[in-house]
Amino acid sequence: MTLNSADTAFRDRLITELPEDIFRPIEPRYLEEPRGRYAGQDALLALPRTTQEVATLIRHAAAARVGVVPYGGGTGLVGGQIYSEGPAPLILSLERMNKVRAVFPGENVLIAEAGVILADVQAAADAVDRLFPLSLAAEGSARIGGNLATNAGGTGVLRYGNARDLCLGLEAVLPDGQIWHGLTRLRKNNTGYDLRHLLIGAEGTLGIITAAALKLFAKPAKMGTALLSVQSPKAALELLSLARDQLGEMISAFELMHRRGFEFLTEQLPDVRQPFAAPPEWTVLIDVGLSGDLDPAESLETLFASALEAGLVEDGLVAQNQQQSDEFWHIREMLPEANRRIGSVSSHDISVPLGAIPEFIGRGGEILAGIGEFRINCFGHVGDGNLHYNVFPVPGKTRADHENQRPAIKRAIHDLVDELGGSISAEHGIGRLKVDDLERYGDPAKLLAIRAIKAALDPLGIMNPGAVVRAVD
Amino acid sequence: MTLNSADTAFRDRLITELPEDIFRPIEPRYLEEPRGRYAGQDALLALPRTTQEVATLIRHAAAARVGVVPYGGGTGLVGGQIYSEGPAPLILSLERMNKVRAVFPGENVLIAEAGVILADVQAAADAVDRLFPLSLAAEGSARIGGNLATNAGGTGVLRYGNARDLCLGLEAVLPDGQIWHGLTRLRKNNTGYDLRHLLIGAEGTLGIITAAALKLFAKPAKMGTALLSVQSPKAALELLSLARDQLGEMISAFELMHRRGFEFLTEQLPDVRQPFAAPPEWTVLIDVGLSGDLDPAESLETLFASALEAGLVEDGLVAQNQQQSDEFWHIREMLPEANRRIGSVSSHDISVPLGAIPEFIGRGGEILAGIGEFRINCFGHVGDGNLHYNVFPVPGKTRADHENQRPAIKRAIHDLVDELGGSISAEHGIGRLKVDDLERYGDPAKLLAIRAIKAALDPLGIMNPGAVVRAVD
């Protein structure tokens, strides 16, 4: 039951049915991933232009039993796009399928091919005065098909949901090469099992998404931003409750940043303007998007005043204009770059129930202190219970000095997350990096069901082999 | 590969492991459905109290290959809860599993067992000053497990989504009797295929939902309601766009009603107070739920004025208090009862893309006129593209007079829906009533995938046999 190589004979068969320029010599960028942890091997690269061409490629891959690695923007952080062991695969890049097929402003729907870059989806929505709210650091290069395959998260989840919540319908090529025409614009459609939600988050292991019908939203009439300093994660959660009481679902983002992040910026990116003279222990970044005639600065000042009165916040700044708002967000957005420059010993994309955040942060610090001396930069989408919990060496040390401690750190943090009812992968997915973790922490009944579904829909095991589900020999 | 009867021997084996009072003599209500179209046959009725007991029942059913029919509130409209052909099944009613296990107001999460009545979930949320927004006519008897199994819709979908959008995690017993402990309160969790979304909408054919983690919301500070008369469905859609521009996501409901509905109320339920002297051709019922200090009556008056100016509405009423608001909603809520008293020839729970609604209504009327003389009562959740398109006899005739025309009507309306890219079951599901329709109109690749998933997760075919997927002999 092993796979075969995408060899010259395979390619020769394909070009009897497909234009030859569908293939291009492989370039290094298709074999690398952003953190430099994996390197792919030689592969056959195909860049189809149509869904029909994708179907033909998959049909041949199934007939020849060749592994297929779907490739979007290459921004995934768990190695889902990198196949490094086994026979040479077919890398199927969706980058030429980059058309917005249609926009229906009256229906708040946009149909995009899988290869459209996320920022271009946002721009196409903006052009008809609508909002496509999926927003994340890699939006300038990530492609919507990959965003959906990995159920991407980002900063807009609190208000608008994850990528899966923004999708009404899909077109996809299933592992036998059949095209599923599920590109519906319907808001209600109860006709059998929801294949859409099965393919979303399956990371290309059950088929290839070729296009999606996406939900658009009315743009909030006015946006506003505030930075509020709080003493503890617990106070941040109480501030979230207070903000919800006052502003309901108009809170668009609620991010938490630790002092360490500001210090890293000072150390690595001193040009980033920091609004507080001395960074507070914890800072909350709030975005609101208001409808009607509500004034965002006024609403945030009211929240600030009542939070001060309740003893929840210590200091704060409400952006008075778009430039200030951009400056506040720039801090948040540059944190990953500062982290990258320092080089983490271990990084964790985890989530826990909201109420367990203070315990997680408290106990996480104690556990790490027991393992060695580290600097922790904890920040993230606290409104979603999603923290990026990243562990760094102290000045003078490098990540290489802690190489042998990494497994213990990862294990201890994941054990804690599991104990608190959390998730070892909140928004990045399983890919190839976390297959062992999924097996360790996943519910046994769920794991059996996942394997049964994979075997049923991809009996030859050709779709993104080794991602999410261990390949069966 | 046929199923066996839930006979005395089967029951005797079960009571070696389960308390005897888990069984009760079957009553007619478990064998009937609201429209009186199906009657179940004799069956063994079990009423487990715990998830463990459900697991034991399913394990025995699998060992003996006995069909299992999950039973919630019995309010489904497509026969999903009624098994009328084949060996006597085990009817597994969740009614004793009716506890709200926990409420987390700070996290906006509530954990309910499957047998909690929907109205009781709403009340438990209300008790902690939160909103559980799933709302539908049968909420006083429907149970949340059934709501999730059928992905119920209702009047809150426009703002808050379908039942699936309100669920964070599930606990379920899978067809081999294993318990899936997936009762997470997490907002972000990308760890493998999303079983939750597969079980939701599977109508009990892939397992039995025993509990759910449900999303709660901040209650809007103030609610408001308006009734606006429009000349056409097209004007209603333009009004929806205008309302969205002004009020964003604060529009909680946007319902359309035809003049015929008001006439049916006059005819059948004259006590229902009607606000217009003469019913307008089309009426829109709008609900808004506002945050902050916005005043709902004022916001709706502004909308009304600008809609008048744009020539979209002809007349209108903005509720000045809760009582008026209740009166407006009472009209909408009594339409199904008036329909029931007249007795429809054929009723259709369909959806089409928003932009196709005017064409559907126009062509639907023409098609029916070609078949015979009927009265059409078209109403529904127009903001979701979901219409209840119901066909009635003219005065002096009864549904029995049109019995032989029903198949032709159903076929013509479904063909039209399909041509317009719509769904032949928007919110009621497939059950047993629409299995043929799903096979006729369903995408072939999707149908193959559905059958493969069913065979993989329920290889013995014991879970709600014959619902959604035709039983395989």
Side-chain angles (χ1 to χ4, degrees):
Chain A
M1 288 270 288
T2 47
L3 297 171
N4 299 311
S5 269
D7 56 16
T8 318
F10 177 67
R11 184 181 178 283
D12 288 346
R13 280 199 301 282
L14 283 170
I15 56 173
T16 63
E17 286 194 51
L18 291 164
E20 193 165 352
D21 73 350
I22 214 169
F23 299 103
R24 257 200 338 228
I26 192 98
E27 292 164 54
R29 66 186 174 97
Y30 294 102
L31 305 172
E32 294 161 359
E33 56 93 50
R35 293 188 183 168
R37 298 218 179 125
Y38 291 86
Q41 50 157 11
D42 197 27
L44 177 65
L45 174 66
L47 304 97
R49 290 185 181 86
T50 65
T51 305
Q52 197 54 58
E53 288 179 353
V54 176
T56 304
L57 286 163
I58 299 295
R59 192 160 40 76
H60 276 273
R65 200 159 188 177
V66 163
V68 179
V69 179
Y71 199 90
T75 60
L77 294 170
V78 288
Q81 70 277 43
I82 303 295
Y83 178 68
S84 55
E85 283 169 32
L90 172 70
I91 295 181
L92 199 156
S93 171
L94 280 299
E95 67 202 81
R96 281 175 174 164
M97 291 187 63
N98 60 358
K99 281 183 287 299
V100 172
R101 287 193 193 159
V103 188
F104 302 88
E107 298 183 9
N108 276 352
V109 178
L110 179 153
I111 314 269
E113 291 184 339
V116 181
I117 287 174
L118 174 52
D120 293 338
V121 178
Q122 295 166 350
D126 194 64
V128 293
D129 200 29
R130 294 291 184 279
L131 174 72
F132 182 66
L134 187 67
S135 176
L136 38 88
E139 62 197 26
S141 44
R143 295 175 193 270
I144 191 68
N147 293 145
L148 289 167
T150 58
N151 187 29
T155 53
V157 174
L158 184 67
R159 179 167 183 166
Y160 298 103
N162 294 285
R164 71 165 69 255
D165 302 305
L166 305 175
C167 176
L168 294 170
L170 289 179
E171 177 191 88
V173 177
L174 301 183
D176 59 358
Q178 281 205 79
I179 301 171
W180 169 42
H181 298 280
L183 217 47
T184 164
R185 285 135 55 200
L186 304 173
R187 306 274 164 172
K188 285 183 172 173
N189 179 21
N190 278 342
T191 49
Y193 308 163
D194 200 320
L195 277 199
R196 165 189 53 153
H197 279 301
L198 191 57
L199 290 183
I200 295 174
E203 305 182 34
T205 63
L206 297 177
I208 295 193
I209 294 169
T210 52
L214 301 169
K215 279 189 206 172
L216 306 182
F217 292 82
K219 279 188 186 170
K222 291 178 201 132
M223 299 291 297
T225 309
L227 270 183
L228 302 178
S229 72
V230 296
Q231 245 176 350
S232 65
K234 187 164 171 292
L237 291 171
E238 286 166 8
L239 177 62
L240 174 61
S241 271
L242 184 68
R244 277 191 167 136
D245 286 345
Q246 292 186 10
L247 294 160
E249 295 124 79
M250 295 191 289
I251 303 162
S252 295
F254 196 91
E255 304 276 310
L256 183 68
M257 297 179 281
H258 185 247
R259 173 175 48 77
R260 188 74 74 192
F262 292 82
E263 291 167 4
F264 280 12
L265 289 175
T266 305
E267 189 180 314
Q268 300 293 331
L269 300 163
D271 289 347
V272 175
R273 193 158 168 263
Q274 295 197 24
F276 295 114
E281 190 66 13
W282 294 97
T283 303
V284 166
L285 175 65
I286 308 180
D287 237 26
V288 294
L290 306 185
S291 308
D293 297 325
L294 292 174
D295 179 66
E298 200 180 295
S299 302
L300 286 166
E301 295 287 1
T302 304
L303 174 65
F304 182 21
S306 45
L308 264 179
E309 200 177 292
L312 293 177
V313 308
E314 302 183 312
D315 196 359
L317 294 160
V318 173
Q320 298 304 314
N321 50 47
Q322 188 59 42
Q323 191 198 329
Q324 279 193 346
S325 170
D326 291 345
E327 270 179 28
F328 293 176
W329 270 100
H330 191 55
I331 296 167
R332 170 65 184 84
E333 282 159 1
M334 293 314 283
L335 290 182
E337 177 58 21
N339 287 345
R340 205 189 56 75
R341 293 189 182 198
I342 294 176
S344 75
V345 177
S346 184
S347 56
H348 309 265
D349 162 46
I350 62 94
S351 66
V352 290
L354 253 67
I357 287 175
E359 182 174 355
F360 171 78
I361 292 177
R363 287 176 61 190
E366 289 165 21
I367 286 169
L368 284 169
I371 297 177
E373 206 188 349
F374 300 103
R375 294 186 293 172
I376 301 166
N377 188 10
C378 174
F379 64 103
H381 320 295
V382 75
D384 312 315
N386 176 199
L387 297 174
H388 299 300
Y389 192 82
N390 297 349
V391 182
F392 296 87
V394 295
K397 298 268 190 181
T398 68
R399 55 177 281 160
D401 297 324
H402 296 286
E403 200 63 38
N404 60 341
Q405 290 169 312
R406 186 180 304 149
I409 294 172
K410 219 171 247 311
R411 180 68 184 274
I413 295 299
H414 284 176
D415 281 356
L416 177 60
V417 164
D418 189 54
E419 184 193 327
L420 296 174
S423 170
I424 51 120
S425 191
E427 56 177 12
H428 296 167
I430 297 299
R432 291 177 174 82
L433 183 67
K434 294 189 176 176
V435 172
D436 291 344
D437 294 308
L438 179 58
E439 288 181 355
R440 179 186 300 275
Y441 298 105
D443 176 85
K446 173 179 156 178
L447 290 174
L448 282 176
I450 286 179
R451 287 189 201 112
I453 292 165
K454 170 74 174 174
L457 295 184
D458 180 21
L460 301 171
I462 59 166
M463 291 307 308
N464 212 1
V468 186
V469 186
R470 194 175 299 284
V472 180
D473 286 330
Chain B
M1 288 271 288
T2 47
L3 298 171
N4 298 311
S5 268
D7 57 15
T8 320
F10 177 67
R11 184 180 179 283
D12 288 347
R13 282 200 299 283
L14 283 169
I15 57 174
T16 63
E17 286 193 52
L18 291 165
E20 194 167 352
D21 72 350
I22 215 171
F23 299 102
R24 254 194 348 222
I26 192 97
E27 291 164 55
R29 66 188 175 97
Y30 295 102
L31 305 173
E32 295 160 1
E33 56 92 50
R35 292 188 184 169
R37 299 219 178 126
Y38 290 85
Q41 48 157 8
D42 197 26
L44 177 65
L45 174 67
L47 304 97
R49 291 184 182 85
T50 66
T51 305
Q52 198 53 60
E53 288 179 354
V54 175
T56 304
L57 286 163
I58 299 295
R59 192 161 38 77
H60 277 273
R65 200 159 189 180
V66 161
V68 179
V69 179
Y71 199 91
T75 60
L77 293 170
V78 287
Q81 72 277 39
I82 303 295
Y83 179 68
S84 56
E85 283 170 32
L90 173 68
I91 294 181
L92 200 156
S93 171
L94 280 300
E95 68 201 81
R96 281 175 173 163
M97 292 187 63
N98 59 358
K99 282 183 287 299
V100 172
R101 287 194 193 158
V103 187
F104 302 89
E107 298 183 9
N108 276 354
V109 178
L110 180 153
I111 315 269
E113 291 183 340
V116 181
I117 287 174
L118 174 52
D120 293 339
V121 177
Q122 296 165 348
D126 193 64
V128 294
D129 200 29
R130 294 291 184 278
L131 174 72
F132 182 65
L134 188 67
S135 177
L136 39 88
E139 63 197 24
S141 45
R143 296 175 192 272
I144 190 68
N147 293 144
L148 289 166
T150 58
N151 186 31
T155 53
V157 174
L158 184 67
R159 179 166 184 168
Y160 299 102
N162 295 283
R164 72 166 69 254
D165 303 305
L166 305 174
C167 176
L168 294 170
L170 289 179
E171 176 190 271
V173 176
L174 301 183
D176 59 358
Q178 282 204 81
I179 300 171
W180 169 42
H181 297 281
L183 217 46
T184 166
R185 283 135 57 199
L186 305 173
R187 304 275 164 172
K188 284 183 174 174
N189 179 23
N190 277 342
T191 51
Y193 308 161
D194 200 320
L195 278 199
R196 164 189 52 152
H197 279 302
L198 191 57
L199 290 182
I200 295 174
E203 306 183 33
T205 63
L206 297 176
I208 294 194
I209 294 168
T210 52
L214 301 170
K215 279 190 206 170
L216 304 182
F217 293 81
K219 278 188 188 171
K222 291 177 202 131
M223 299 290 297
T225 308
L227 270 183
L228 303 178
S229 71
V230 295
Q231 244 174 351
S232 65
K234 186 163 174 291
L237 291 171
E238 286 166 9
L239 178 62
L240 174 61
S241 269
L242 183 69
R244 277 189 166 139
D245 286 345
Q246 292 187 9
L247 295 160
E249 294 126 82
M250 295 191 288
I251 304 162
S252 296
F254 196 91
E255 304 275 310
L256 183 67
M257 299 179 278
H258 185 246
R259 175 176 47 79
R260 189 73 75 192
F262 292 83
E263 291 167 3
F264 280 10
L265 289 174
T266 306
E267 186 179 316
Q268 299 294 330
L269 299 163
D271 289 347
V272 175
R273 196 161 166 260
Q274 294 196 23
F276 295 113
E281 188 66 13
W282 294 97
T283 303
V284 165
L285 174 65
I286 308 180
D287 237 26
V288 294
L290 305 186
S291 307
D293 296 326
L294 292 173
D295 180 65
E298 201 179 293
S299 303
L300 287 167
E301 295 286 2
T302 304
L303 174 65
F304 182 21
S306 44
L308 264 178
E309 200 177 291
L312 294 177
V313 307
E314 303 184 309
D315 195 0
L317 293 161
V318 174
Q320 298 303 314
N321 50 47
Q322 188 59 44
Q323 192 199 328
Q324 278 192 347
S325 170
D326 291 345
E327 270 179 28
F328 293 176
W329 271 99
H330 191 55
I331 294 166
R332 169 66 183 84
E333 283 158 0
M334 294 313 284
L335 289 182
E337 177 58 22
N339 287 345
R340 205 189 56 75
R341 293 188 185 200
I342 294 176
S344 74
V345 176
S346 185
S347 58
H348 309 264
D349 161 45
I350 62 95
S351 66
V352 291
L354 254 67
I357 287 176
E359 182 173 356
F360 171 77
I361 292 177
R363 288 177 59 191
E366 288 165 21
I367 286 168
L368 284 168
I371 297 178
E373 206 189 349
F374 300 103
R375 293 187 292 172
I376 301 166
N377 188 9
C378 173
F379 64 103
H381 320 296
V382 75
D384 312 314
N386 177 200
L387 297 174
H388 298 301
Y389 192 82
N390 297 349
V391 182
F392 295 87
V394 294
K397 299 268 189 179
T398 69
R399 56 178 279 159
D401 297 325
H402 297 285
E403 200 63 39
N404 60 340
Q405 289 168 314
R406 185 180 304 149
I409 294 172
K410 220 172 247 311
R411 179 66 184 276
I413 295 299
H414 285 175
D415 281 355
L416 176 61
V417 165
D418 188 55
E419 183 194 328
L420 296 174
S423 169
I424 52 118
S425 191
E427 55 177 14
H428 296 165
I430 298 298
R432 292 177 173 82
L433 182 66
K434 293 189 176 176
V435 171
D436 291 344
D437 294 307
L438 179 57
E439 288 180 354
R440 177 185 301 275
Y441 299 105
D443 176 85
K446 172 179 157 178
L447 290 174
L448 282 176
I450 286 179
R451 287 188 201 115
I453 293 165
K454 171 73 174 174
L457 296 184
D458 181 20
L460 300 171
I462 60 166
M463 291 308 307
N464 212 3
V468 185
V469 186
R470 194 175 300 282
V472 180
D473 287 329

